[in-house]
Amino acid sequence: MASKNPWRLSRNVIPSRYFISLTPDFDDFTFRGLSYIKVNIEEATSIITLHAAELDITNAEANLGNKTKNITYNKKHQTVSLEFIDQLRPGTRWLTLGFKGKLNDKMHGFYRTSYMVNGEKRWGAATQFEATDARRAFPCFDEPDMKAIFTIQIIAPLHMTVLSNMPAYSIPVSPNKINKTVVFEDTVPMSTYLVAFVVAELEYIEGFTRDNKPVRVWATPGKKEMCRFALEVALHSIKYFEKWFGVPYALPKLDMVALPDFASGAMENWGLITYRETALLIDAKNSSAAMRQRVAEVVDHELAHQWFGNLVTMRWWTHLWLNEGFASYAGPKAVDAQFPNWDVWTQYITEDYFPALGADSLNNTHAIEVSVKNPDEIREIFDAITYSKGSVINRMLEYYLGIEAYSRGLSLYFDKYKFGNATTDDLWQALEEASGKPVSELMARYTRQKGYPVVTAYLDDEKNELRLEQKRFIFDGSKDTKHSLWHIPLLMQTGENENTLSYYMRDRKAVVQLNSRACSWLKINPGQSGFYRVAYSPEMISRLAIAVSEGALPTIDRIGLLNDAFALARADFIKTRSALELLEAYKSEDNYNVWREIEHGLNLSGKLISADTCSYLQFKSFARDFFKPTAERLGWDKIPGESFTDIFLRSLAITNMGNWGDQDTIDEARRHFSSYVNGGELDPDIRNAVFLLVAKHGGNEEFEKFIKLYENATSPEESVRTLRALGSFNDTVIHARALDIALSEKVRPQDKLRMVWYSNKKTHTLTWEFVKNNWDVFLKLYGHGGLGFMNGLIALPAGFSTQEQLEDVERFFATHDVSGADRAVKQCLEKIRSNIAWRERSCNEVIEWLEEKFSYRT
């Protein structure tokens, strides 16, 4: 059956088994390959079309003797069509394909990676196939529902480690004793994007699951000891997921590999998970608590994929969220189970819940279930909607169904679809069967339409009624022309009742009768359990502000209330000064995650008036006063018995005191830095704060010191810290030097943008000019296949807030190649327009509020 989409393959030919042999050549960075593919031909044909990109097919035949008379490539659709001399009748056939390709430097497909051994640069190779890059390594039917069994054979230099999805069962040495042929066991049925292999010099540490399956963590020579924390996390979480899902880990082994060159954070290849070094390795001396948490989060996300995505795979990329949304929710559960003192679920609100709200409040957002046709469109949906919104609506659903029913539903889903493919509706059916609740009715509105609701609330004390109305929230305040409607599982909490009230809101308006009269405060969406915002009446927000100042409101609710306030101010639901007045209720705050939201609100407000020098100086003083008590309480040194999150809060307070211009903090950062570069100690948990403040206020002398630190860094995290610092100098001449270094051979392609993204307010325009002038260079490095790099560059000017800047950005994107990132461009322009409108509307309002505050002081 032919596909209506020219990017999709026909279903007339279905693969069931592959034998793939690859021989990489590290002298000329090429590889040779031989592939046998067992296919079932549904109807007679003389042409078979499959995927191949940047490959040269050297020979092809179907069964013995039936050779091709014509091989045709379609570069646009990334396919190759094999026309055979004799027609192929229905039935099972073996395709034999010889081919060759290039070990590219793009970090996708089959690519090369470099590392140092005893001061010598060495080369290895690795794969990154998601979403559509297996076709760059071998000709294949590169679609997720065309699962097959794979036998992988790699011929590689004798001294190199060779890994793939399954254990090796045969490793004969060639007669010349230079190469070895590594043959791996057959895989289970799996999608092409999950196939993986690594060829490099590697060392490992090892542990075993409770059923004695080996778990190994690998790194390049000299970094083996940095693997121990990741191994500890993996062994814990495999056991955790097996118990939760009721399904054992499906493969006989698990390898996790830290790669020196890797485009994203990690990739969940079944049985062979690959990571960027900063997402897997922990240096006992130099790694911060934040990095330990980062590693745990990434490892557990990828392990969750061994069930969500690998065991059960989405049928097509429209349902990508079934992989990423669930892994993004299951991962934090495993982290919290292992490290309960990390307060993971409060951090989740700032790291997943708010990014989901932010991304989905744009006009140019997309639905979770979005029709995608080609590789560019598929790459575009690896974003906060798929990951964070997907995670958050899972959390909402678990609140609605209850933990037990939710878990039963997942077990049913895995049992029914294991080793196969599924759609979103398949999942809803399993959860409905387990819970007896209308899951499809509720969730389809969150996955199939863009955006989310804002619920306006008015409390009538006399009638003891709560009046509600919903409409789509759009962050620039524009109207929802589609009049979207959601079914909202509302929860409510009052100051007089510990129990939450629930109401299922199906209509645009609703009136809820309350049980208790004259409640001191009422918080809708306690625990931020639902995916919506709340716009309270002035009287309700005043009561909630008192609850905040008195410490009566739970931590997550304090965070949610403040985030909603500034989002509502941007969208012109409320005055910006109202959000700032609410902010003042947080002066006695002591929770790190709430302080992150305070920081966010202050930064947004400061940008509104940054062009007014006098008022901005006043605002900086206001911000310093906000942070000062917390900075003084925590100081610069660890306090015995302090909480895990206070470690983070110390760094946050130091950074903000310095950024808002406290000279004592800047001077102290310089003293710590001077001691460190002269051989002294510097706590890894404040090292990033110290580096950034010294760089921001430093000159040529400090710049040279950071260059030396980068060149001598012994851990991946230290390299990243110094790159961030190098990109953070205020001096425009020095910043220009940093940008030139970013594009030099000194910095790996995966890290170059760190120095671009970390430009600050004073150098942001210079950085944008640099990006424009070097657009073709960046496009060559990251375009047409890079995972998120180009989108990150496109988002760079999204903080601009003048009409002149908007017109410049519009002109640039209108005349430069942004293929595959059209939505990212529209989102960037939408944000700039919103910034302009908010600044024009609220600048004088914030200035007047400041004048009132400072005149009152004097």
Side-chain angles (χ1 to χ4, degrees):
M1 181 175 64
S3 171
K4 294 179 181 179
N5 176 1
W7 294 90
R8 299 288 302 272
L9 296 178
S10 163
R11 275 6 188 208
N12 291 341
V13 180
I14 304 296
S16 61
R17 179 179 285 274
Y18 292 77
F19 174 86
I20 299 162
S21 177
L22 293 168
T23 306
D25 187 326
F26 296 105
D27 292 325
D28 61 3
F29 300 121
T30 61
F31 62 88
R32 291 179 291 108
L34 179 66
S35 180
Y36 300 95
I37 311 175
K38 186 179 182 181
V39 297
N40 187 59
I41 299 173
E42 301 291 333
E43 56 187 55
T45 182
S46 60
I47 298 176
I48 293 178
T49 299
L50 65 165
H51 288 112
E54 300 174 357
L55 295 177
D56 180 16
I57 310 297
T58 55
N59 63 280
E61 59 183 75
N63 288 5
L64 294 176
N66 191 0
K67 297 183 180 295
T68 54
K69 65 178 181 181
N70 196 21
I71 299 176
T72 306
Y73 298 92
N74 186 320
K75 289 187 177 181
K76 179 181 177 180
H77 295 145
Q78 300 178 351
T79 59
V80 59
S81 293
L82 311 173
E83 184 180 3
F84 294 93
I85 296 172
D86 300 320
Q87 189 176 60
L88 303 172
R89 295 179 180 179
T92 300
R93 297 287 185 271
W94 280 94
L95 299 180
T96 304
L97 298 163
F99 55 94
K100 57 184 179 181
K102 181 181 179 181
L103 287 175
N104 69 72
D105 58 357
K106 307 296 184 184
M107 294 180 289
H108 63 262
F110 195 17
Y111 70 93
R112 61 185 184 259
T113 181
S114 66
Y115 49 94
M116 303 299 291
V117 178
N118 299 324
E120 178 187 352
K121 188 175 185 178
R122 304 279 181 87
W123 291 96
T127 58
Q128 169 59 44
F129 291 162
E130 191 179 35
T132 58
D133 288 319
R135 64 193 67 174
R136 298 180 192 277
F138 54 93
C140 57
F141 297 80
D142 199 12
E143 297 185 10
D145 65 336
M146 288 185 152
K147 287 192 169 185
I149 295 169
F150 293 82
T151 305
I152 305 295
Q153 173 180 288
I154 307 290
I155 302 169
L158 194 60
H159 68 286
M160 286 185 161
T161 297
V162 183
L163 302 172
S164 188
N165 305 83
M166 297 294 285
Y169 74 84
S170 173
I171 312 179
V173 177
S174 64
N176 60 18
K177 297 186 178 180
I178 296 175
N179 293 326
K180 59 185 175 183
T181 301
V182 184
V183 184
F184 296 90
E185 295 177 14
D186 290 353
T187 70
V188 296
M190 59 190 289
S191 303
T192 48
Y193 80 90
L194 293 170
V195 174
F197 23 91
V198 174
V199 183
E201 294 163 85
L202 299 169
E203 300 174 339
Y204 72 91
I205 61 170
E206 182 180 46
F208 294 88
T209 66
R210 58 183 174 179
D211 54 352
N212 213 36
K213 293 178 180 179
V215 177
R216 299 186 179 103
V217 186
W218 300 78
T220 54
K223 298 175 181 175
K224 180 173 70 172
E225 289 306 310
M226 297 185 194
C227 298
R228 296 200 176 278
F229 178 71
L231 178 62
E232 173 191 333
V233 172
L235 291 172
H236 165 273
S237 296
I238 291 172
K239 180 179 178 181
Y240 174 84
F241 287 135
E242 287 182 330
K243 181 178 180 182
W244 180 21
F245 302 145
V247 180
Y249 173 68
L251 300 191
K253 63 89 176 176
L254 173 66
D255 289 311
M256 305 196 303
V257 186
L259 295 173
D261 297 285
F262 197 71
S264 56
M267 175 60 206
E268 66 267 20
N269 314 300
W270 210 350
L272 177 58
I273 306 174
T274 46
Y275 296 80
R276 189 176 283 209
E277 288 184 328
T278 51
L280 192 69
L281 304 182
I282 290 294
D283 182 334
K285 182 179 179 181
N286 291 302
S287 290
S288 62
M291 184 55 66
R292 288 172 63 85
Q293 181 170 318
R294 157 80 173 156
V295 168
E297 288 171 345
V298 176
V299 168
D300 284 351
H301 178 100
E302 303 309 325
L303 288 176
H305 271 308
Q306 306 304 295
W307 287 263
F308 287 111
N310 298 10
L311 184 65
V312 180
T313 310
M314 76 262 154
R315 188 173 297 169
W316 179 242
W317 298 101
T318 292
H319 307 283
L320 173 64
W321 87 281
L322 289 176
N323 293 12
E324 300 299 349
F326 275 86
S328 297
Y329 183 50
K333 278 182 167 286
V335 176
D336 184 58
Q338 188 172 10
F339 304 103
N341 64 317
W342 285 7
D343 197 16
V344 166
W345 288 111
T346 308
Q347 293 185 60
Y348 175 89
I349 298 301
T350 59
E351 293 173 1
D352 278 286
Y353 185 87
F354 292 155
L357 289 174
D360 209 28
S361 63
L362 295 167
N363 269 305
N364 289 291
T365 184
H366 65 85
I368 282 180
E369 293 181 80
V370 59
S371 176
V372 289
K373 304 178 184 67
N374 60 56
D376 285 341
E377 290 180 354
I378 294 167
R379 281 189 289 270
E380 271 200 310
I381 63 171
F382 282 82
D383 62 4
I385 300 301
T386 298
Y387 284 73
S388 294
K389 182 181 178 181
S391 172
V392 169
I393 66 167
N394 268 304
R395 180 171 172 266
M396 178 176 71
L397 184 57
E398 186 178 43
Y399 267 85
Y400 174 63
L401 299 181
I403 293 174
E404 291 185 5
Y406 182 74
S407 295
R408 284 198 306 273
L410 294 184
S411 294
L412 287 171
Y413 173 73
F414 284 128
D415 186 60
K416 185 172 183 179
Y417 298 103
K418 60 187 176 185
F419 302 115
N421 299 82
T423 67
T424 300
D425 285 338
D426 294 329
L427 175 65
W428 296 159
Q429 185 177 6
L431 289 165
E432 283 186 351
E433 183 179 340
S435 67
K437 291 187 176 182
V439 176
S440 296
E441 174 191 274
L442 167 68
M443 298 304 293
R445 296 170 186 267
Y446 286 91
T447 63
R448 291 178 181 166
Q449 63 182 355
K450 300 191 296 186
Y452 58 87
V454 56
V455 177
T456 57
Y458 171 76
L459 182 61
D460 187 330
D461 284 324
E462 290 187 6
K463 293 184 178 180
N464 203 33
E465 290 177 347
L466 180 65
R467 298 174 193 166
L468 306 171
E469 183 175 357
Q470 64 157 299
K471 63 179 178 178
R472 181 182 170 190
F473 179 82
I474 302 175
F475 92 139
D476 63 3
S478 56
K479 304 298 182 183
D480 173 26
T481 57
K482 293 189 175 181
H483 306 289
S484 308
L485 185 70
W486 286 265
H487 288 192
I488 310 173
L490 286 168
L491 293 177
M492 295 160 280
Q493 181 75 58
T494 68
E496 283 68 35
N497 192 339
E498 292 183 1
N499 297 319
T500 55
L501 310 172
S502 62
Y503 180 80
Y504 192 84
M505 187 175 180
R506 288 183 172 87
D507 302 316
R508 199 163 301 282
K509 295 183 179 182
V511 176
V512 180
Q513 194 70 41
L514 301 177
N515 295 325
S516 57
R517 290 189 174 276
C519 54
S520 56
W521 53 265
L522 185 147
K523 172 68 169 60
I524 300 173
N525 203 15
Q528 303 304 115
S529 57
F531 192 62
Y532 57 94
R533 292 195 185 276
V534 183
Y536 297 97
S537 66
E539 174 61 26
M540 292 181 75
I541 201 73
S542 294
R543 294 182 188 181
L544 285 165
I546 294 170
V548 170
S549 63
E550 293 177 347
L553 212 60
T555 302
I556 290 179
D557 294 312
R558 298 199 301 276
I559 302 172
L561 186 67
L562 193 58
N563 184 272
D564 276 355
F566 278 98
L568 292 165
R570 176 190 275 273
D572 203 22
F573 274 77
I574 64 173
K575 296 292 185 182
T576 301
R577 70 175 295 153
S578 298
L580 285 164
E581 286 165 357
L582 173 64
L583 180 67
E584 291 194 274
Y586 289 76
K587 281 191 171 180
S588 299
E589 185 56 58
D590 63 358
N591 183 276
Y592 160 70
N593 293 289
V594 183
W595 272 106
R596 289 178 68 181
E597 198 54 40
I598 293 170
E599 175 189 50
H600 177 66
L602 288 170
N603 286 336
L604 288 175
S605 304
K607 287 178 181 177
L608 295 174
I609 59 167
S610 58
D612 187 301
T613 303
C614 181
S615 296
Y616 191 60
L617 286 173
Q618 287 182 322
F619 192 85
K620 289 174 72 174
S621 176
F622 169 72
R624 288 196 301 272
D625 288 349
F626 229 100
F627 276 97
K628 189 173 183 180
T630 298
E632 290 179 341
R633 174 175 68 86
L634 294 173
W636 289 75
D637 300 317
K638 283 189 170 67
I639 301 169
E642 69 183 354
S643 70
F644 185 78
T645 51
D646 267 358
I647 295 171
F648 296 168
L649 181 54
R650 175 178 296 106
S651 180
L652 184 79
I654 290 170
T655 301
N656 277 274
M657 287 295 288
N659 283 345
W660 292 111
D662 183 71
Q663 194 59 49
D664 288 343
T665 301
I666 296 166
D667 291 343
E668 187 64 22
R670 285 172 172 156
R671 283 192 287 272
H672 277 76
F673 182 72
S674 178
S675 172
Y676 179 63
V677 296
N678 288 311
E681 297 293 325
L682 179 57
D683 181 0
D685 291 311
I686 63 168
R687 202 176 294 177
N688 192 58
V690 168
F691 280 15
L692 294 180
L693 289 180
V694 169
K696 185 175 181 180
H697 300 279
N700 285 315
E701 181 181 348
E702 287 79 13
F703 188 80
E704 293 300 331
K705 289 177 180 177
F706 279 118
I707 289 288
K708 191 170 292 185
L709 284 174
Y710 175 67
E711 292 173 345
N712 296 327
T714 58
S715 74
E717 185 180 2
E718 189 76 348
S719 295
V720 168
R721 287 193 193 105
T722 52
L723 287 175
R724 288 174 177 173
L726 286 166
S728 299
F729 279 76
N730 271 339
D731 185 292
T732 54
V733 175
I734 294 175
H735 187 67
R737 283 183 63 195
L739 292 173
D740 287 338
I741 290 171
L743 282 186
S744 74
E745 293 297 319
K746 290 183 178 181
V747 182
R748 290 179 182 272
Q750 67 177 18
D751 293 325
K752 291 180 183 297
L753 296 191
R754 295 187 187 278
M755 300 167 76
V756 175
W757 289 331
Y758 272 80
S759 61
N760 52 55
K761 185 180 69 174
K762 290 188 177 182
T763 58
H764 200 52
T765 302
L766 171 66
T767 304
W768 173 235
E769 290 299 317
F770 177 83
V771 168
K772 289 193 297 181
N773 293 335
N774 290 280
W775 189 256
D776 290 341
V777 178
F778 287 117
L779 202 61
K780 184 178 179 181
L781 279 168
Y782 307 122
H784 309 292
L787 291 174
F789 288 116
M790 292 308 293
N791 282 1
L793 284 173
I794 290 168
L796 187 69
F800 287 162
S801 59
T802 70
Q803 187 64 32
E804 181 182 10
Q805 289 171 324
L806 172 63
E807 291 170 0
D808 172 62
V809 176
E810 286 176 328
R811 281 193 302 270
F812 179 79
F813 286 138
T815 56
H816 287 77
D817 183 5
V818 291
S819 56
D822 295 337
R823 185 183 291 117
V825 171
K826 291 176 182 177
Q827 290 177 342
C828 174
L829 295 173
E830 182 180 349
K831 289 176 182 178
I832 298 173
R833 294 186 187 105
S834 175
N835 294 340
I836 294 170
W838 192 19
R839 182 179 57 80
E840 291 177 347
R841 187 176 69 243
S842 298
C843 178
N844 290 336
E845 177 190 331
V846 175
I847 290 172
E848 290 171 6
W849 175 78
L850 273 171
E851 289 174 349
E852 291 172 14
K853 287 191 65 60
F854 279 85
S855 62
Y856 175 78
R857 284 185 184 180
T858 56

